[in-house]
């Protein structure tokens, strides 16, 4: 009886319709799709960080074939003061990085994906200016990685649905 119930549960789960992104083509489906994406230059230091993180994840080109898609990204980076003492000194900051991005088919100029990604990080403001600046820089580096992961995941899903 337990075996029958286990078999029925396994059949029900297999019919849910979910597929891994890397399914098909011996796991190279998403890699082949992502390797056809060119990252357009992104302005500023934060843009360089996000572009580098995206290149690390997307530029898997093994051939010299021209890219089929272009990824355009615009960033909005904000630093907000949160914690204030009675003498109006800031004790906590929040760094917010938002990205609006579009995946464009280079041949037709059609926009395949228009979406946003973002994340934020808390920063303790301490008496040492050097430590605070280092914490702010470390936060933007982490945020660039998180935003790049979100973008690549969404682009992978979009390209997978097109095929």
């Amino acid at each position: 009886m337990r075996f029958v119930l286990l078999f029925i549960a396994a059949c029900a789960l297999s019919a849910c319709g979910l597929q891994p992104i890397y399914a098909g083509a011996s796991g190279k489906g998403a890699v082949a799709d992502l390797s056809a994406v060119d990252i357009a230059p992104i302005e500023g230091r934060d843009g360089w960080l996000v572009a580098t993180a995206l290149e690390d994840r997307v530029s898997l080109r093994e051939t010299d074939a021209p890219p089929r898609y272009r990824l355009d990204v615009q960033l909005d980076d904000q630093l907000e003061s949160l914690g204030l003492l009675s003498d109006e000194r800031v004790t906590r900051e929040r760094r917010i990085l938002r990205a609006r991005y579009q995946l464009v088919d280079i041949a037709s100029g059609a926009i395949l994906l228009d979406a946003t990604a973002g994340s934020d990080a808390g920063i303790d403001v301490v008496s040492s200016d050097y430590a605070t600046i280092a914490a702010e820089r470390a936060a933007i580096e982490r945020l660039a990685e998180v935003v790049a992961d979100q973008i690549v995941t969404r682009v992978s899903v979009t390209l997978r649905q097109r095929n």
Side-chain angles (χ1 to χ4, degrees):
M1 181 67 172
R2 287 184 181 166
F3 178 73
V4 173
L5 291 175
L6 184 62
F7 180 74
I8 291 172
C11 290
L13 284 175
S14 67
C16 69
L18 294 177
Q19 292 181 343
I21 290 175
Y22 297 100
S26 301
K28 297 185 181 182
V31 171
D33 290 342
L34 287 175
S35 67
V37 176
D38 184 42
I39 310 297
I42 308 171
E43 292 183 24
R45 180 181 183 278
D46 301 343
W48 178 82
L49 289 169
V50 172
T52 301
L54 287 169
E55 287 287 340
D56 289 345
R57 291 155 177 77
V58 172
S59 290
L60 308 168
R61 249 181 234 126
E62 297 176 1
T63 65
D64 293 329
R68 295 186 317 229
Y69 309 102
R70 183 183 72 242
L71 186 63
D72 297 324
V73 181
Q74 294 177 336
L75 295 179
D76 179 27
D77 179 24
Q78 297 177 359
L79 189 61
E80 296 179 350
S81 299
L82 294 178
L84 293 174
L85 296 176
S86 59
D87 61 354
E88 296 187 15
R89 281 187 301 138
V90 175
T91 60
R92 188 102 172 123
E93 293 176 334
R94 182 170 75 168
R95 187 112 198 207
I96 304 167
L97 183 64
R98 301 281 180 255
R100 178 166 186 237
Y101 58 96
Q102 294 180 330
L103 182 66
V104 179
D105 186 326
I106 293 174
S108 67
I111 297 174
L112 307 176
L113 175 64
D114 187 357
T116 59
S119 189
D120 61 283
I123 302 165
D124 286 328
V125 178
V126 295
S127 60
S128 168
D129 290 340
Y130 175 78
T132 301
I133 291 170
E136 289 173 355
R137 287 187 177 175
I140 194 63
E141 290 170 6
R142 285 191 312 274
L143 292 174
E145 298 283 331
V146 170
V147 168
D149 285 339
Q150 291 175 5
I151 292 171
V152 168
T153 300
R154 187 79 185 270
V155 167
S156 296
V157 170
T158 299
L159 293 176
R160 177 87 171 139
Q161 290 171 347
R162 287 183 54 85
N163 295 332

